[in-house]
Amino acid sequence: MKWLFLVRTSLWLVFNSFLISIYGQSESKYISLHDLLIKAENQYKVHFAFDAESTNVSKAPLNLLQKDLNGFVKALSDLEIAHVIKQNDEHFLVVLTKDSEAGTSPPQKEWKDIRISGIVTDDWNQEPLIGVSVLLMPDRQLFSTDEKGQFIIEYKSQETNQWLEFRYLGYHLNRISLPIVKKFVEIKLIPQIEMLEIITITDVKSQHPSNASNFYSPSLKLTQTDLLTASVFRDPLRSIQQLSGLNGANDLSAGLQIRGGNTEENLILLDQLTLYSVDHFFGVFSNINPFMLDSVEIYKSYFPSNYGGRTSSMVRMKSQPIASKITVKSEIGLLNSNLFVQAPILKNRLEVLFAGRASTTNLGDSDAFANLLHSGNSSALNISRDQKRFVPANPEFRFNDVYLKLNARPLKMWSIGASFFRSVDKVVTNYQNTSVSGNLRVVENFNDTASWINRAYSFSSEFAWSRRFQSRISFSNSSLDDQQKILGVITTSRLDSPRTRNIQDLTLFNNQMNVYHFRFDHEYTAKNSNHQLGFEWNHYDSTLFRNIINRDVIFNVHLRNGNDFNAYYQGKFSFFERLYIGPGIRLSRYDRRNLLDASPRLQIEYRWLKNWKSSVRWGKYYQYLRQVDFEDRFGRPFSFWTQADERAFKVLISDQWELQNMIDWRKWQFVLEFYFKKLNGVAEQVYNVPLTIQDPATSPPSLPRTVIYSGTGQSYGMDFSVFRAFKYYQLNASWSWINSTVRFPQINQGNPYSQALVRPHQLKFSQTFSYKNWSLNLYHIYGSPQPYVDLFLVGDRERNVRSINEVQQVLPMYFRFDLDLNYSYRWNQSALTAGIGILNLEDRRNVKYIQYVFRIPVFNPLSPNQPPEIKIAGSEVNLLRRTLNLYINYSF
């Protein structure tokens, strides 16, 4: 019986083993492709990038793991389940074949061109991602992002229902459907923290290397990462000043002086809003919150006919697009603090965006403000003064700004938006100056109150009639209110007698402006062309520029109900995938000018090689809203807007040419630009300051007056820039050379002379060192010596014309070295960054020329009985000395 039991048991075991080997093993040797790849990562110590949802559906044999890595990859590809693409020795991309992936459609017979470009960034810190795999599906064509996180796709396909997949190790898959209306997309990848492991990327390879330059774009585009890392003040507009061709040698102006142009010649747009004032703290900061911006485009010498009203350049800022989750970013700094909140109310339907910025403390107590109140060196004019600076007493300076935006999408093809912007600055300063000239002692006491408020709001509606044709209508209002009041009490006394005299001056500057903008735009995209057609109407409800001294109106321009009507067309045509032509025309009618102004624009671009393209651009521009700048004795800028009246303020007209070459060579990017700009209607304000100190025995001084000269100007030069990104190091370098002159019949016998605030040579270096969580940014700016002219000395009240050579001075070279060091720490979906920024690390004494000058009597010690000679003082002021900024920001 025992023998029979053993036989039956053995037969049962053999039979069950046989069944298991036939059925059970046949089931267990096939597992999901997802699980197989996870096991392969652990076994081979490599990383596979794949779509977790799709690979869970497909099956693969488990015995593939018995092979080595190369055999596993080859066997998996041979099964035609998935296509494995090797990026380097440790990284592989797994793409399902057409048969195993749902949602694909059979190929069509008709060929179509696919052209799309974009940028891929980290959703948390907005940093561009290098080497992201960009898959065109279902074609299974692989592209990748370059060192700037940008990619370009140019491909012919017969597929329909196409889409793009963005895959990157440690990030969630992002997928967008094609076709899309926009030809430049901005993709944000969300980190997948729970799957992150320590990896080392040794190389980035792609079947289709992308071109780092923007596809057919006359502008330079900066991402939020560029805007936050290119300035120790972490300010977007000051970051732009690091670019070639822009003046970076003026610490007291966030306004952009581009290729010899004044700040008034730049069109500055924030979404649908036109901004006429962008300064905080007299230009040390701009009033743009850095966290709310998604990108900034800068047109340096050409901008398309869609936009007008300026004669030099255009800066177009875009806020963050509609988000799928709540985003909060905050920053507390030593000088200012920022807050940004973006919250979807209805998914993909409604969202609200808020951005605010404010001074952290009273900036009047900071060292930065004290630097603003130091007078400059007057030794060039042989002025002897006991005290060479103005000492502030209890200054009070605060600012704030807010930007609110509402985005709604009632229908898939219809979106509407509304926005509001408000910026406020106010400063109250008391200061005193004492000087002794001969036997005359002068005590000057001043109370200075200044404020400027900028408001704007807009409404817009955009409808996509089809994937090729869309329309937009928008309405906006921008207003500006600048006021300055200076109460001066000047006490003069003779040292040889008890006689004293008090003179009181009350000076008022007032500038008010209110402008309404209306636009109606259409855009049609064809196979090899793009067409934009639209209408724009600007209504100037009121512009007021007034200067009053002791109730006497010194200067007054008050215009109401001005209008300009504009119609435009801008086209883009592509030929042979090498030649691109962009013609444009803008027709304008300004009701204070009895002419129809035609502004033609043209851009021609040719790709000589895959990584080398050349562009030539030309445009003619008209500007009807004018600005006059003046600076007080401390170098603090004040800008006043008014309408061109064809008398004191002519319509400004410019012709601009630009030749650009862009070359990518072995990961180096070179940009060489030549330009020429000619202007007619340049305005120059010669202002006699209401501070003329005389002997008490003499009669009271006569009132000053403001004179506006109208003339011409021209600028030509060259910009050269280099960019290279390494593993832990990034370099941006540029050199600019410019020759910029102006010409006025009343000055220098009508001969041209050098324009103010334009240094012939500027050299800039920006270096970034990044390792793990640390980032070190270094900035170097050099500006060559700059000639300048005290225009007050050129023409006197009798309009006698004098030579520039008699009064021309030279400012010394400008040099500044800035440093920014920060550390970032992440946990879950939050990030904390702490840093220190130091402007002018070497504490170099840089100076700046100003026109706001005043006259004082200077006695000749060799001839004490002779009347004093009137000299000019305060023609140079110090720029910012060493300035510290500490900051901590938090985002989730």
Side-chain angles (χ1 to χ4, degrees):
M1 295 295 292
K2 292 182 179 180
W3 178 82
L4 181 60
F5 175 77
L6 291 174
V7 171
R8 289 178 178 177
T9 302
S10 300
L11 291 174
W12 183 82
L13 291 174
V14 170
F15 179 73
N16 281 277
S17 300
F18 177 73
L19 291 178
I20 292 174
S21 65
I22 294 177
Y23 297 102
Q25 185 175 348
S26 64
E27 289 295 325
S28 63
K29 75 175 183 180
Y30 280 89
I31 63 175
S32 69
L33 181 58
H34 175 275
D35 294 339
L36 180 68
L37 293 172
I38 294 297
K39 291 178 180 295
E41 286 186 330
N42 294 329
Q43 177 174 324
Y44 301 120
K45 305 303 180 184
V46 297
H47 295 271
F48 293 94
F50 55 89
D51 183 6
E53 181 179 353
S54 300
T55 53
N56 258 326
V57 179
S58 302
K59 300 290 185 180
L62 181 62
N63 59 9
L64 293 183
L65 295 175
Q66 298 175 3
K67 304 177 182 293
D68 60 8
L69 177 60
N70 293 331
F72 173 83
V73 172
K74 184 178 185 303
L76 191 60
S77 299
D78 291 342
L79 290 175
E80 297 184 354
I81 299 175
H83 181 52
V84 183
I85 303 171
K86 180 180 179 181
Q87 292 186 292
N88 56 41
D89 293 337
E90 297 179 351
H91 299 86
F92 298 84
L93 180 64
V94 180
V95 183
L96 294 182
T97 60
K98 300 177 185 179
D99 296 333
S100 62
E101 187 165 358
T104 60
S105 301
Q108 303 297 318
K109 294 182 179 180
E110 181 182 355
W111 289 91
K112 61 180 179 180
D113 292 328
I114 299 176
R115 291 195 181 102
I116 188 172
S117 61
I119 184 171
V120 183
T121 59
D122 187 301
D123 184 60
W124 291 358
N125 57 20
Q126 314 304 323
E127 293 181 358
L129 299 178
I130 303 173
V132 176
S133 297
V134 184
L135 283 153
L136 175 62
M137 300 294 292
D139 302 78
R140 295 189 296 131
Q141 294 298 318
L142 175 65
F143 302 81
S144 67
T145 59
D146 61 13
E147 291 83 355
K148 288 188 175 182
Q150 299 178 356
F151 67 92
I152 293 178
I153 297 177
E154 296 180 357
Y155 186 73
K156 290 183 179 293
S157 175
Q158 289 182 298
E159 298 286 353
T160 57
N161 299 330
Q162 292 170 302
W163 68 93
L164 291 179
E165 293 184 358
F166 299 86
R167 301 173 181 267
Y168 199 55
L169 294 175
Y171 288 82
H172 290 284
L173 169 72
N174 196 342
R175 180 183 290 142
I176 62 173
S177 300
L178 297 179
I180 58 176
V181 176
K182 297 181 178 179
K183 296 304 179 184
F184 187 91
V185 296
E186 299 167 357
I187 305 298
K188 300 181 183 298
L189 297 186
I190 301 174
Q192 194 172 13
I193 297 299
E194 65 276 10
M195 296 182 62
L196 285 179
E197 297 181 18
I198 299 176
I199 60 174
T200 301
I201 299 178
T202 58
D203 196 8
V204 176
K205 296 182 180 179
S206 173
Q207 295 179 355
H208 299 270
S210 62
N211 192 326
S213 60
N214 289 335
F215 175 74
Y216 188 73
S217 176
S219 66
L220 298 174
K221 188 166 186 176
L222 300 181
T223 64
Q224 190 184 70
T225 302
D226 301 320
L227 300 173
L228 284 174
T229 59
S231 168
V232 297
F233 289 121
R234 301 172 62 79
D235 185 272
L237 291 187
R238 296 197 65 87
S239 299
I240 295 174
Q241 294 178 356
Q242 299 287 335
L243 297 175
S244 63
L246 282 74
N247 181 24
N250 184 1
D251 307 336
L252 304 184
S253 177
L256 303 178
Q257 298 151 354
I258 303 177
R259 291 177 172 174
N262 293 323
T263 55
E264 69 157 326
E265 299 171 31
N266 305 315
L267 177 61
I268 299 181
L269 299 173
L270 173 59
D271 293 329
Q272 305 301 317
L273 299 177
T274 301
L275 301 183
Y276 294 95
S277 174
V278 294
D279 285 351
H280 269 325
F281 199 21
F282 292 110
V284 177
F285 304 99
S286 73
N287 52 18
I288 306 299
N289 188 301
F291 295 119
M292 74 179 181
L293 295 182
D294 182 63
S295 63
V296 175
E297 286 184 282
I298 304 99
Y299 296 77
K300 291 196 291 187
S301 281
Y302 167 93
F303 52 92
S305 58
N306 316 35
Y307 304 96
R310 300 294 184 274
T311 54
S312 176
S313 311
M314 182 176 74
V315 177
R316 187 168 62 177
M317 298 176 285
K318 292 184 179 180
S319 61
Q320 295 289 341
I322 294 179
S324 58
K325 62 185 181 72
I326 296 178
T327 302
V328 177
K329 298 180 181 180
S330 60
E331 181 174 82
I332 298 177
L334 190 64
L335 300 178
N336 69 93
S337 299
N338 305 308
L339 175 64
F340 170 78
V341 179
Q342 189 175 19
I345 301 175
L346 297 175
K347 186 177 180 180
N348 297 326
R349 293 294 183 183
L350 180 66
E351 80 148 12
V352 62
L353 181 151
F354 170 84
R357 198 176 200 189
S359 52
T360 306
T361 60
N362 174 23
L363 293 176
D365 294 332
S366 67
D367 292 337
F369 190 87
N371 287 328
L372 293 176
L373 294 179
H374 289 177
S375 67
N377 181 15
S378 299
S379 60
L381 297 173
N382 297 319
I383 301 296
S384 176
R385 306 191 64 143
D386 290 349
Q387 189 170 316
K388 301 254 181 174
R389 66 177 185 174
F390 295 96
V391 180
N394 300 321
E396 177 75 19
F397 195 121
R398 298 185 185 273
F399 67 73
N400 65 80
D401 61 67
V402 62
Y403 181 61
L404 185 64
K405 183 180 179 182
L406 185 68
N407 293 317
R409 192 181 297 275
L411 301 174
K412 183 178 180 181
M413 307 297 287
W414 180 31
S415 62
I416 58 177
S419 60
F420 172 78
F421 177 83
R422 185 175 186 265
S423 171
V424 179
D425 279 69
K426 185 174 183 179
V427 58
V428 178
T429 310
N430 299 292
Y431 49 90
Q432 183 185 81
N433 186 70
T434 303
S435 62
V436 176
S437 296
N439 61 353
L440 186 66
R441 184 174 184 269
V442 181
V443 179
E444 305 157 90
N445 291 278
F446 295 93
N447 180 279
D448 185 345
T449 302
S451 66
W452 52 102
I453 303 174
N454 190 12
R455 302 182 186 90
Y457 63 86
S458 74
F459 302 95
S460 65
S461 175
E462 183 175 348
F463 192 85
W465 305 95
S466 68
R467 64 186 181 91
R468 294 182 179 273
F469 181 62
Q470 59 181 343
S471 300
R472 170 182 288 176
I473 186 170
S474 63
F475 169 81
S476 64
N477 170 252
S478 298
S479 63
L480 182 67
D481 187 359
D482 283 0
Q483 295 186 8
Q484 185 188 26
K485 178 176 69 175
I486 303 175
L487 175 62
V489 178
I490 307 164
T491 302
T492 59
S493 60
R494 299 185 66 96
L495 300 179
D496 55 355
S497 69
R499 298 177 57 185
T500 62
R501 181 181 178 184
N502 290 329
I503 301 176
Q504 291 190 0
D505 281 336
L506 178 61
T507 303
L508 300 176
F509 297 97
N510 183 233
N511 182 218
Q512 296 177 346
M513 183 188 65
N514 192 29
V515 183
Y516 295 93
H517 309 271
F518 174 81
R519 289 181 63 93
F520 192 27
D521 307 294
H522 307 277
E523 182 175 3
Y524 177 75
T525 302
K527 183 177 181 180
N528 294 314
S529 63
N530 177 271
H531 309 268
Q532 299 181 59
L533 183 69
F535 171 78
E536 179 182 342
W537 170 34
N538 298 303
H539 174 69
Y540 311 106
D541 178 62
S542 176
T543 58
L544 170 66
F545 176 22
R546 178 179 297 162
N547 181 12
I548 301 176
I549 298 178
N550 292 335
R551 299 182 180 181
D552 292 309
V553 178
I554 305 304
F555 189 81
N556 183 34
V557 175
H558 187 193
L559 301 176
R560 296 181 60 88
N561 300 327
N563 298 275
D564 65 67
F565 303 89
N566 310 269
Y568 75 84
Y569 166 78
Q570 181 67 49
K572 297 179 182 179
F573 299 88
S574 171
F575 302 95
F576 318 113
E577 298 185 355
R578 284 182 174 270
L579 178 63
Y580 304 90
I581 300 178
I585 183 70
R586 185 180 182 91
L587 301 176
S588 304
R589 176 69 169 85
Y590 178 56
D591 55 11
R592 288 187 170 86
R593 179 177 169 88
N594 298 321
L595 293 172
L596 182 65
D597 298 323
S599 304
R601 323 276 170 94
L602 179 64
Q603 173 180 269
I604 301 175
E605 177 182 305
Y606 187 78
R607 292 183 181 270
W608 305 93
L609 298 172
K610 190 172 184 178
N611 297 324
W612 176 24
K613 71 174 183 179
S614 299
S615 304
V616 60
R617 306 178 183 112
W618 170 76
K620 188 172 185 178
Y621 309 86
Y622 291 82
Q623 181 170 330
Y624 306 119
L625 201 61
R626 301 302 309 276
Q627 184 188 64
V628 176
D629 300 310
F630 85 93
E631 297 170 324
D632 64 14
R633 68 187 67 197
F634 306 121
R636 302 179 304 185
F638 291 87
S639 301
F640 297 111
W641 289 89
T642 187
Q643 298 177 61
D645 58 4
E646 290 295 68
R647 295 186 297 274
F649 296 94
K650 302 290 184 180
V651 171
L652 187 61
I653 307 172
S654 74
D655 285 89
Q656 297 192 59
W657 287 89
E658 181 181 36
L659 174 62
Q660 180 188 75
N661 283 279
M662 304 182 71
I663 300 174
D664 295 338
W665 179 73
R666 295 185 178 181
K667 298 184 179 181
W668 288 88
Q669 299 176 25
F670 303 92
V671 180
L672 179 62
E673 299 167 312
F674 300 91
Y675 60 90
F676 174 79
K677 178 169 62 176
K678 186 176 182 180
L679 296 103
N680 188 19
V682 176
E684 183 64 73
Q685 176 182 242
V686 180
Y687 182 70
N688 299 348
V689 179
L691 182 54
T692 305
I693 304 171
Q694 298 180 354
D695 189 291
T698 62
S699 59
S702 58
L703 288 174
R705 61 189 178 93
T706 299
V707 179
I708 303 296
Y709 294 145
S710 180
T712 61
Q714 72 173 24
S715 300
Y716 59 87
M718 176 179 68
D719 295 335
F720 177 69
S721 60
V722 179
F723 172 81
R724 179 66 161 91
F726 299 89
K727 187 174 182 180
Y728 301 112
Y729 173 71
Q730 179 175 296
L731 170 68
N732 274 288
S734 68
W735 170 65
S736 300
W737 169 77
I738 184 174
N739 182 289
S740 184
T741 59
V742 290
R743 182 199 303 258
F744 299 95
Q746 302 90 341
I747 300 175
N748 198 35
Q749 292 85 39
N751 296 319
Y753 62 93
S754 297
Q755 188 174 0
L757 301 177
V758 178
R759 295 184 180 268
H761 299 272
Q762 285 198 35
L763 186 64
K764 303 174 185 177
F765 285 94
S766 175
Q767 303 176 81
T768 301
F769 301 86
S770 299
Y771 182 72
K772 294 184 178 180
N773 296 337
W774 290 93
S775 178
L776 174 65
N777 303 287
L778 304 175
Y779 315 103
H780 317 260
I781 298 180
Y782 163 80
S784 61
Q786 169 196 335
Y788 71 93
V789 177
D790 278 328
L791 293 182
F792 182 84
L793 297 177
V794 175
D796 56 21
R797 293 182 180 278
E798 287 72 36
R799 297 179 180 265
N800 295 327
V801 180
R802 301 175 60 181
S803 171
I804 290 297
N805 295 330
E806 300 178 27
V807 292
Q808 191 171 51
Q809 307 291 337
V810 176
L811 288 179
M813 77 169 189
Y814 175 95
F815 181 80
R816 197 182 76 227
F817 173 49
D818 306 339
L819 177 146
D820 180 86
L821 177 66
N822 62 74
Y823 176 84
S824 298
Y825 176 75
R826 294 184 184 179
W827 71 98
N828 295 331
Q829 295 187 357
S830 302
L832 180 69
T833 301
I836 176 175
I838 305 177
L839 178 95
N840 197 359
L841 182 64
E842 297 180 335
D843 199 24
R844 176 180 169 83
R845 187 182 295 272
N846 295 309
V847 295
K848 172 187 172 184
Y849 154 70
I850 60 170
Q851 272 194 48
Y852 193 105
V853 293
F854 60 99
R855 303 189 298 175
I856 65 170
V858 176
F859 289 85
N860 187 347
L862 300 179
S863 304
N865 297 325
Q866 297 294 325
E869 180 182 2
I870 302 299
K871 291 285 188 178
I872 305 301
S875 57
E876 295 175 9
V877 296
N878 291 328
L879 297 177
L880 287 181
R881 302 290 293 275
R882 183 185 296 124
T883 303
L884 175 68
N885 184 35
L886 301 174
Y887 60 89
I888 298 177
N889 71 58
Y890 172 74
S891 63
F892 64 89

